Amino acid sequence: MDAITFFIQAMNGIQYGLLLFLVATGLTLIFGIMGVINIAHGSFYMVGAYLAWSLMGWFGNFWVGLFAGVLVALFLGLALEWLFIRFLYDRDHLQQVLVTYGLILIFSELRSILWGDDVHSVPIPELLSGSIQLTENLAYPIYRLWLSGVCIVIAILMYVGIQHTRLGMMIRAGESDRDMTKALGINIGLVYRFVFALGVSLAAFSGMISAPIASVFPGMGNQVLIVSFVVVVIGGLGSIKGAMVAALMVGLIDTFGKVLNVNILGINILPEMAGMSIFALMAIILMFRPQGIFGKGH
Amino acid sequence: MPVSDSLLTISGLNVHYGLSHVLHELSLDIKCGETVALMGRNGMGKTTLLKTLVGLLPSTSGLIKHLGQDTRGLPTHTLARRGIAYVPEGRGIFKNLSVKENLLLAARPGVRGQKDWSFGRVLDSFPRLNERLNHGGQQLSGGEQQMLSIGRALLTNPDLLILDEATEGLAPLIAQDIWRIIDVIRQSGISSVLVDKNFKALAKLSDRSVVMVKGKIVFDGSPNHLIENPLNLTKWLGV
């Protein structure tokens, strides 16, 4: 592999990792702060992608469609928290998994009724449709660079929001001691509603911005959910910093696993077993740190 | 301090933990500006009563009135906003927040807009916290945690401070510091309900002593009257 190809694959890996971070961070926030295992999280990613397809087509403008889609996702998150999730805070994880699995089925049916079962594609907006020429024969798409930049900006905003604002203090306090937070006059129910809606919006937003570089198809939510869980487990349940590190690791390993050739004792390890690479990474990390890289353990 | 109208009135209160009946037909009146010492051996229902008052536990029956208004069913954060501050037995420090953040999170004017306890006044009252403002909650000693928990409650500018196990597990010098600040709180006119095992210190600082045995109030009267009767102390408090 020459240096330029390596560079391009590294950029692809980082971009995929940053996108995974956006999805996984919502999952880890909802678990870390509210204690809820939300296996419907992948459905929000799928809903985002379908919203992008229909709203961007409807408005005829990528940016307006994106804005409208985020608003819809935000209201969807607020409504779901009020209708279902708020009843799960004091329930055990099995009940949380059952209710959120029910949500997966509901969203799958709704998607089929509203949008059908076909595969769709979303065009890249004209403003971001070009490429940067790296060599005579190799170019890197501007859209992918923009996508990575957006993910980095959101990660920084989340860090600042959680570490340096009053709302962030409330969120961290709720994570530490729910009853004491309430006893200080903070409406923790409202804080949780906001966190859940934020998680839903992040997942949907990821689905929206990934739609132009990947197809929009019915099973896309389940695919991303599994990889996001791998990210959350590697990073440590509830850790946003862990989600970032793990997402980049998973993104790079998954990308390079598909392009590298590794042959040991005559057996083609890569790329034949590339699909297993992130699970092998998870197994190795859990052997040494069962609580994940930045997990607190119990 | 002069004591006048009722701040909190509890009548016929019953609380259950599942099938276990913990508080039995409990009645108690706390007046504005009054300091009440709540005493009793472990497991007699003191913490259950305090948690019920701040809305962290539901009552089965009975009335709790704050300034004449029924508070049953009100969420904990609403009760806090109405001026009831709580310092729990385990101190309830947010370990992932710094000392400064723990304090700032609570800071707000009282229900009548009073701002008697400011960030600066709390730090003046607890100079040790001033030295550790940027330390994480988990880095504090037990005494510092208790100072932070009390300081944080005061920053809500409450009308009623509920303090569970005020000096439990603290070194005598630190405990003295806590009693000093409790006296300052008392002088400032904030009503309080204090729970502690040091019945002598409680007697000095309270207007009234209340003793609980098996979820019932068996004594409600003058602190001197309680400590002058060693038989009662032995029977009810095991001292």
Side-chain angles (χ1 to χ4, degrees), chain A residues 1-15 134-135 138-140 251-253 255-257 259-261:
Chain A
M1 185 185 290
D2 60 68
I4 291 289
T5 313
F6 179 86
F7 175 73
I8 287 178
Q9 293 307 331
M11 293 288 283
N12 282 340
I14 290 169
Q15 176 259 302
L134 297 174
T135 65
L138 283 172
Y140 197 79
L252 286 167
I253 283 178
T255 305
F256 278 105
V259 294
L260 286 176
N261 278 306

PDB file of all heavy atoms in Angstrom, chain A residues 1-15 134-135 138-140 251-253 255-257 259-261:
ATOM      1  N   MET A   1       0.848  -1.196   0.000  1.00  0.00           N
ATOM      2  CA  MET A   1       0.000   0.000   0.000  1.00  0.00           C
ATOM      3  C   MET A   1       0.888   1.254   0.000  1.00  0.00           C
ATOM      4  O   MET A   1       1.742   1.405   0.884  1.00  0.00           O
ATOM      5  CB  MET A   1      -0.889   0.010   1.258  1.00  0.00           C
ATOM      6  CG  MET A   1      -1.874   1.148   1.275  1.00  0.00           C
ATOM      7  SD  MET A   1      -2.810   1.237   2.819  1.00  0.00           S
ATOM      8  CE  MET A   1      -3.844  -0.203   2.707  1.00  0.00           C
ATOM      9  N   ASP A   2       0.686   2.119  -0.993  1.00  0.00           N
ATOM     10  CA  ASP A   2       1.521   3.318  -1.030  1.00  0.00           C
ATOM     11  C   ASP A   2       0.999   4.370  -0.037  1.00  0.00           C
ATOM     12  O   ASP A   2      -0.094   4.227   0.532  1.00  0.00           O
ATOM     13  CB  ASP A   2       1.585   3.898  -2.461  1.00  0.00           C
ATOM     14  CG  ASP A   2       0.216   4.281  -2.967  1.00  0.00           C
ATOM     15  OD1 ASP A   2      -0.347   5.244  -2.413  1.00  0.00           O
ATOM     16  OD2 ASP A   2      -0.308   3.603  -3.886  1.00  0.00           O
ATOM     17  N   ALA A   3       1.800   5.410   0.137  1.00  0.00           N
ATOM     18  CA  ALA A   3       1.506   6.412   1.175  1.00  0.00           C
ATOM     19  C   ALA A   3       0.178   7.123   0.930  1.00  0.00           C
ATOM     20  O   ALA A   3      -0.592   7.351   1.866  1.00  0.00           O
ATOM     21  CB  ALA A   3       2.640   7.431   1.228  1.00  0.00           C
ATOM     22  N   ILE A   4      -0.123   7.436  -0.330  1.00  0.00           N
ATOM     23  CA  ILE A   4      -1.365   8.158  -0.630  1.00  0.00           C
ATOM     24  C   ILE A   4      -2.582   7.283  -0.332  1.00  0.00           C
ATOM     25  O   ILE A   4      -3.566   7.737   0.276  1.00  0.00           O
ATOM     26  CB  ILE A   4      -1.374   8.619  -2.117  1.00  0.00           C
ATOM     27  CG1 ILE A   4      -0.327   9.714  -2.326  1.00  0.00           C
ATOM     28  CG2 ILE A   4      -2.751   9.102  -2.540  1.00  0.00           C
ATOM     29  CD1 ILE A   4      -0.683  11.057  -1.696  1.00  0.00           C
ATOM     30  N   THR A   5      -2.508   6.011  -0.749  1.00  0.00           N
ATOM     31  CA  THR A   5      -3.634   5.092  -0.471  1.00  0.00           C
ATOM     32  C   THR A   5      -3.805   4.934   1.036  1.00  0.00           C
ATOM     33  O   THR A   5      -4.934   4.946   1.554  1.00  0.00           O
ATOM     34  CB  THR A   5      -3.376   3.715  -1.117  1.00  0.00           C
ATOM     35  OG1 THR A   5      -2.958   3.921  -2.456  1.00  0.00           O
ATOM     36  CG2 THR A   5      -4.616   2.853  -1.101  1.00  0.00           C
ATOM     37  N   PHE A   6      -2.680   4.807   1.747  1.00  0.00           N
ATOM     38  CA  PHE A   6      -2.741   4.685   3.208  1.00  0.00           C
ATOM     39  C   PHE A   6      -3.422   5.924   3.798  1.00  0.00           C
ATOM     40  O   PHE A   6      -4.300   5.815   4.664  1.00  0.00           O
ATOM     41  CB  PHE A   6      -1.321   4.536   3.771  1.00  0.00           C
ATOM     42  CG  PHE A   6      -1.293   4.436   5.266  1.00  0.00           C
ATOM     43  CD1 PHE A   6      -1.467   3.210   5.901  1.00  0.00           C
ATOM     44  CD2 PHE A   6      -1.122   5.570   6.060  1.00  0.00           C
ATOM     45  CE1 PHE A   6      -1.460   3.116   7.288  1.00  0.00           C
ATOM     46  CE2 PHE A   6      -1.126   5.486   7.441  1.00  0.00           C
ATOM     47  CZ  PHE A   6      -1.285   4.259   8.052  1.00  0.00           C
ATOM     48  N   PHE A   7      -3.030   7.100   3.277  1.00  0.00           N
ATOM     49  CA  PHE A   7      -3.593   8.353   3.775  1.00  0.00           C
ATOM     50  C   PHE A   7      -5.104   8.405   3.546  1.00  0.00           C
ATOM     51  O   PHE A   7      -5.885   8.757   4.440  1.00  0.00           O
ATOM     52  CB  PHE A   7      -2.890   9.527   3.071  1.00  0.00           C
ATOM     53  CG  PHE A   7      -3.454  10.872   3.419  1.00  0.00           C
ATOM     54  CD1 PHE A   7      -3.220  11.438   4.660  1.00  0.00           C
ATOM     55  CD2 PHE A   7      -4.240  11.573   2.500  1.00  0.00           C
ATOM     56  CE1 PHE A   7      -3.750  12.684   4.986  1.00  0.00           C
ATOM     57  CE2 PHE A   7      -4.776  12.812   2.823  1.00  0.00           C
ATOM     58  CZ  PHE A   7      -4.525  13.373   4.072  1.00  0.00           C
ATOM     59  N   ILE A   8      -5.500   7.999   2.329  1.00  0.00           N
ATOM     60  CA  ILE A   8      -6.942   8.029   2.005  1.00  0.00           C
ATOM     61  C   ILE A   8      -7.720   7.062   2.901  1.00  0.00           C
ATOM     62  O   ILE A   8      -8.788   7.399   3.422  1.00  0.00           O
ATOM     63  CB  ILE A   8      -7.160   7.700   0.504  1.00  0.00           C
ATOM     64  CG1 ILE A   8      -6.712   8.903  -0.336  1.00  0.00           C
ATOM     65  CG2 ILE A   8      -8.624   7.375   0.214  1.00  0.00           C
ATOM     66  CD1 ILE A   8      -6.816   8.703  -1.825  1.00  0.00           C
ATOM     67  N   GLN A   9      -7.156   5.864   3.098  1.00  0.00           N
ATOM     68  CA  GLN A   9      -7.855   4.889   3.948  1.00  0.00           C
ATOM     69  C   GLN A   9      -7.913   5.375   5.391  1.00  0.00           C
ATOM     70  O   GLN A   9      -8.915   5.169   6.088  1.00  0.00           O
ATOM     71  CB  GLN A   9      -7.167   3.515   3.867  1.00  0.00           C
ATOM     72  CG  GLN A   9      -7.263   2.836   2.507  1.00  0.00           C
ATOM     73  CD  GLN A   9      -8.703   2.742   1.989  1.00  0.00           C
ATOM     74  OE1 GLN A   9      -9.655   2.669   2.759  1.00  0.00           O
ATOM     75  NE2 GLN A   9      -8.859   2.758   0.667  1.00  0.00           N
ATOM     76  N   ALA A  10      -6.828   6.022   5.824  1.00  0.00           N
ATOM     77  CA  ALA A  10      -6.826   6.562   7.190  1.00  0.00           C
ATOM     78  C   ALA A  10      -7.913   7.639   7.320  1.00  0.00           C
ATOM     79  O   ALA A  10      -8.651   7.677   8.319  1.00  0.00           O
ATOM     80  CB  ALA A  10      -5.457   7.150   7.523  1.00  0.00           C
ATOM     81  N   MET A  11      -8.040   8.489   6.315  1.00  0.00           N
ATOM     82  CA  MET A  11      -9.086   9.531   6.332  1.00  0.00           C
ATOM     83  C   MET A  11     -10.473   8.890   6.348  1.00  0.00           C
ATOM     84  O   MET A  11     -11.363   9.339   7.084  1.00  0.00           O
ATOM     85  CB  MET A  11      -8.966  10.427   5.088  1.00  0.00           C
ATOM     86  CG  MET A  11      -7.716  11.277   5.048  1.00  0.00           C
ATOM     87  SD  MET A  11      -7.792  12.610   6.244  1.00  0.00           S
ATOM     88  CE  MET A  11      -8.888  13.729   5.401  1.00  0.00           C
ATOM     89  N   ASN A  12     -10.649   7.838   5.545  1.00  0.00           N
ATOM     90  CA  ASN A  12     -11.944   7.133   5.526  1.00  0.00           C
ATOM     91  C   ASN A  12     -12.243   6.528   6.894  1.00  0.00           C
ATOM     92  O   ASN A  12     -13.380   6.573   7.380  1.00  0.00           O
ATOM     93  CB  ASN A  12     -11.934   6.021   4.475  1.00  0.00           C
ATOM     94  CG  ASN A  12     -12.129   6.570   3.075  1.00  0.00           C
ATOM     95  OD1 ASN A  12     -12.617   7.676   2.899  1.00  0.00           O
ATOM     96  ND2 ASN A  12     -11.730   5.792   2.069  1.00  0.00           N
ATOM     97  N   GLY A  13     -11.205   5.933   7.485  1.00  0.00           N
ATOM     98  CA  GLY A  13     -11.368   5.293   8.799  1.00  0.00           C
ATOM     99  C   GLY A  13     -11.739   6.314   9.860  1.00  0.00           C
ATOM    100  O   GLY A  13     -12.629   6.078  10.689  1.00  0.00           O
ATOM    101  N   ILE A  14     -11.064   7.458   9.824  1.00  0.00           N
ATOM    102  CA  ILE A  14     -11.357   8.514  10.811  1.00  0.00           C
ATOM    103  C   ILE A  14     -12.772   9.052  10.598  1.00  0.00           C
ATOM    104  O   ILE A  14     -13.531   9.244  11.550  1.00  0.00           O
ATOM    105  CB  ILE A  14     -10.306   9.649  10.713  1.00  0.00           C
ATOM    106  CG1 ILE A  14      -8.960   9.136  11.236  1.00  0.00           C
ATOM    107  CG2 ILE A  14     -10.749  10.887  11.481  1.00  0.00           C
ATOM    108  CD1 ILE A  14      -7.787  10.042  10.959  1.00  0.00           C
ATOM    109  N   GLN A  15     -13.132   9.250   9.331  1.00  0.00           N
ATOM    110  CA  GLN A  15     -14.481   9.763   9.035  1.00  0.00           C
ATOM    111  C   GLN A  15     -15.561   8.782   9.504  1.00  0.00           C
ATOM    112  O   GLN A  15     -16.532   9.184  10.145  1.00  0.00           O
ATOM    113  CB  GLN A  15     -14.601  10.026   7.531  1.00  0.00           C
ATOM    114  CG  GLN A  15     -15.958  10.474   7.057  1.00  0.00           C
ATOM    115  CD  GLN A  15     -16.723   9.327   6.426  1.00  0.00           C
ATOM    116  OE1 GLN A  15     -16.246   8.737   5.461  1.00  0.00           O
ATOM    117  NE2 GLN A  15     -17.872   9.017   6.978  1.00  0.00           N
ATOM    118  N   LEU A 134      -5.537  14.558  -4.994  1.00  0.00           N
ATOM    119  CA  LEU A 134      -4.341  14.263  -4.204  1.00  0.00           C
ATOM    120  C   LEU A 134      -3.158  13.889  -5.099  1.00  0.00           C
ATOM    121  O   LEU A 134      -2.032  14.301  -4.865  1.00  0.00           O
ATOM    122  CB  LEU A 134      -4.627  13.121  -3.218  1.00  0.00           C
ATOM    123  CG  LEU A 134      -5.695  13.428  -2.159  1.00  0.00           C
ATOM    124  CD1 LEU A 134      -5.993  12.197  -1.338  1.00  0.00           C
ATOM    125  CD2 LEU A 134      -5.259  14.564  -1.244  1.00  0.00           C
ATOM    126  N   THR A 135      -3.414  13.051  -6.096  1.00  0.00           N
ATOM    127  CA  THR A 135      -2.401  12.738  -7.115  1.00  0.00           C
ATOM    128  C   THR A 135      -3.123  12.811  -8.461  1.00  0.00           C
ATOM    129  O   THR A 135      -4.319  13.109  -8.516  1.00  0.00           O
ATOM    130  CB  THR A 135      -1.827  11.317  -6.931  1.00  0.00           C
ATOM    131  OG1 THR A 135      -2.870  10.389  -7.150  1.00  0.00           O
ATOM    132  CG2 THR A 135      -1.201  11.119  -5.565  1.00  0.00           C
ATOM    133  N   LEU A 138      -5.744  10.028  -7.944  1.00  0.00           N
ATOM    134  CA  LEU A 138      -6.495   9.879  -6.695  1.00  0.00           C
ATOM    135  C   LEU A 138      -7.045  11.213  -6.201  1.00  0.00           C
ATOM    136  O   LEU A 138      -6.338  12.229  -6.202  1.00  0.00           O
ATOM    137  CB  LEU A 138      -5.595   9.282  -5.602  1.00  0.00           C
ATOM    138  CG  LEU A 138      -5.336   7.770  -5.689  1.00  0.00           C
ATOM    139  CD1 LEU A 138      -4.287   7.370  -4.667  1.00  0.00           C
ATOM    140  CD2 LEU A 138      -6.621   6.995  -5.457  1.00  0.00           C
ATOM    141  N   ALA A 139      -8.305  11.178  -5.773  1.00  0.00           N
ATOM    142  CA  ALA A 139      -8.946  12.392  -5.248  1.00  0.00           C
ATOM    143  C   ALA A 139      -9.722  12.025  -3.989  1.00  0.00           C
ATOM    144  O   ALA A 139     -10.118  10.865  -3.808  1.00  0.00           O
ATOM    145  CB  ALA A 139      -9.885  12.975  -6.295  1.00  0.00           C
ATOM    146  N   TYR A 140      -9.930  13.013  -3.097  1.00  0.00           N
ATOM    147  CA  TYR A 140     -10.704  12.744  -1.876  1.00  0.00           C
ATOM    148  C   TYR A 140     -11.937  13.632  -1.858  1.00  0.00           C
ATOM    149  O   TYR A 140     -11.839  14.857  -2.051  1.00  0.00           O
ATOM    150  CB  TYR A 140      -9.853  12.991  -0.623  1.00  0.00           C
ATOM    151  CG  TYR A 140     -10.460  12.346   0.592  1.00  0.00           C
ATOM    152  CD1 TYR A 140     -10.319  10.982   0.815  1.00  0.00           C
ATOM    153  CD2 TYR A 140     -11.209  13.089   1.500  1.00  0.00           C
ATOM    154  CE1 TYR A 140     -10.907  10.378   1.911  1.00  0.00           C
ATOM    155  CE2 TYR A 140     -11.800  12.486   2.608  1.00  0.00           C
ATOM    156  CZ  TYR A 140     -11.639  11.132   2.803  1.00  0.00           C
ATOM    157  OH  TYR A 140     -12.229  10.521   3.876  1.00  0.00           O
ATOM    158  N   GLY A 251     -13.353   2.555  13.707  1.00  0.00           N
ATOM    159  CA  GLY A 251     -13.389   3.083  12.344  1.00  0.00           C
ATOM    160  C   GLY A 251     -12.133   2.723  11.575  1.00  0.00           C
ATOM    161  O   GLY A 251     -12.196   2.252  10.423  1.00  0.00           O
ATOM    162  N   LEU A 252     -10.983   2.914  12.204  1.00  0.00           N
ATOM    163  CA  LEU A 252      -9.710   2.640  11.523  1.00  0.00           C
ATOM    164  C   LEU A 252      -9.508   1.142  11.304  1.00  0.00           C
ATOM    165  O   LEU A 252      -9.109   0.707  10.217  1.00  0.00           O
ATOM    166  CB  LEU A 252      -8.550   3.218  12.349  1.00  0.00           C
ATOM    167  CG  LEU A 252      -8.423   4.752  12.299  1.00  0.00           C
ATOM    168  CD1 LEU A 252      -7.477   5.273  13.362  1.00  0.00           C
ATOM    169  CD2 LEU A 252      -7.955   5.201  10.912  1.00  0.00           C
ATOM    170  N   ILE A 253      -9.802   0.342  12.326  1.00  0.00           N
ATOM    171  CA  ILE A 253      -9.590  -1.110  12.199  1.00  0.00           C
ATOM    172  C   ILE A 253     -10.530  -1.710  11.158  1.00  0.00           C
ATOM    173  O   ILE A 253     -10.127  -2.539  10.334  1.00  0.00           O
ATOM    174  CB  ILE A 253      -9.727  -1.794  13.576  1.00  0.00           C
ATOM    175  CG1 ILE A 253      -8.443  -1.508  14.350  1.00  0.00           C
ATOM    176  CG2 ILE A 253      -9.973  -3.300  13.454  1.00  0.00           C
ATOM    177  CD1 ILE A 253      -8.390  -2.029  15.726  1.00  0.00           C
ATOM    178  N   THR A 255     -11.877  -0.147   8.598  1.00  0.00           N
ATOM    179  CA  THR A 255     -11.495   0.324   7.250  1.00  0.00           C
ATOM    180  C   THR A 255     -10.237  -0.385   6.757  1.00  0.00           C
ATOM    181  O   THR A 255     -10.199  -0.923   5.638  1.00  0.00           O
ATOM    182  CB  THR A 255     -11.277   1.849   7.272  1.00  0.00           C
ATOM    183  OG1 THR A 255     -12.457   2.457   7.779  1.00  0.00           O
ATOM    184  CG2 THR A 255     -10.999   2.390   5.886  1.00  0.00           C
ATOM    185  N   PHE A 256      -9.200  -0.401   7.599  1.00  0.00           N
ATOM    186  CA  PHE A 256      -7.949  -1.045   7.166  1.00  0.00           C
ATOM    187  C   PHE A 256      -8.108  -2.561   7.057  1.00  0.00           C
ATOM    188  O   PHE A 256      -7.454  -3.200   6.235  1.00  0.00           O
ATOM    189  CB  PHE A 256      -6.800  -0.679   8.114  1.00  0.00           C
ATOM    190  CG  PHE A 256      -6.192   0.652   7.791  1.00  0.00           C
ATOM    191  CD1 PHE A 256      -6.457   1.762   8.570  1.00  0.00           C
ATOM    192  CD2 PHE A 256      -5.382   0.811   6.672  1.00  0.00           C
ATOM    193  CE1 PHE A 256      -5.917   2.999   8.256  1.00  0.00           C
ATOM    194  CE2 PHE A 256      -4.832   2.050   6.347  1.00  0.00           C
ATOM    195  CZ  PHE A 256      -5.109   3.152   7.143  1.00  0.00           C
ATOM    196  N   GLY A 257      -8.987  -3.126   7.876  1.00  0.00           N
ATOM    197  CA  GLY A 257      -9.220  -4.577   7.807  1.00  0.00           C
ATOM    198  C   GLY A 257      -9.711  -5.002   6.433  1.00  0.00           C
ATOM    199  O   GLY A 257      -9.465  -6.129   5.987  1.00  0.00           O
ATOM    200  N   VAL A 259      -8.903  -3.473   3.551  1.00  0.00           N
ATOM    201  CA  VAL A 259      -7.979  -3.193   2.438  1.00  0.00           C
ATOM    202  C   VAL A 259      -6.590  -3.821   2.618  1.00  0.00           C
ATOM    203  O   VAL A 259      -5.832  -3.930   1.673  1.00  0.00           O
ATOM    204  CB  VAL A 259      -7.816  -1.669   2.206  1.00  0.00           C
ATOM    205  CG1 VAL A 259      -9.109  -1.054   1.720  1.00  0.00           C
ATOM    206  CG2 VAL A 259      -7.319  -0.964   3.455  1.00  0.00           C
ATOM    207  N   LEU A 260      -6.286  -4.223   3.848  1.00  0.00           N
ATOM    208  CA  LEU A 260      -4.959  -4.816   4.059  1.00  0.00           C
ATOM    209  C   LEU A 260      -4.965  -6.298   3.688  1.00  0.00           C
ATOM    210  O   LEU A 260      -6.001  -6.967   3.784  1.00  0.00           O
ATOM    211  CB  LEU A 260      -4.544  -4.669   5.531  1.00  0.00           C
ATOM    212  CG  LEU A 260      -4.116  -3.270   5.987  1.00  0.00           C
ATOM    213  CD1 LEU A 260      -3.830  -3.291   7.488  1.00  0.00           C
ATOM    214  CD2 LEU A 260      -2.875  -2.800   5.232  1.00  0.00           C
ATOM    215  N   ASN A 261      -3.805  -6.784   3.290  1.00  0.00           N
ATOM    216  CA  ASN A 261      -3.648  -8.220   3.034  1.00  0.00           C
ATOM    217  C   ASN A 261      -2.751  -8.810   4.115  1.00  0.00           C
ATOM    218  O   ASN A 261      -1.580  -8.464   4.207  1.00  0.00           O
ATOM    219  CB  ASN A 261      -3.001  -8.442   1.665  1.00  0.00           C
ATOM    220  CG  ASN A 261      -4.031  -8.362   0.568  1.00  0.00           C
ATOM    221  OD1 ASN A 261      -5.050  -9.060   0.614  1.00  0.00           O
ATOM    222  ND2 ASN A 261      -3.800  -7.486  -0.396  1.00  0.00           N
TER     223      ASN A 261
END
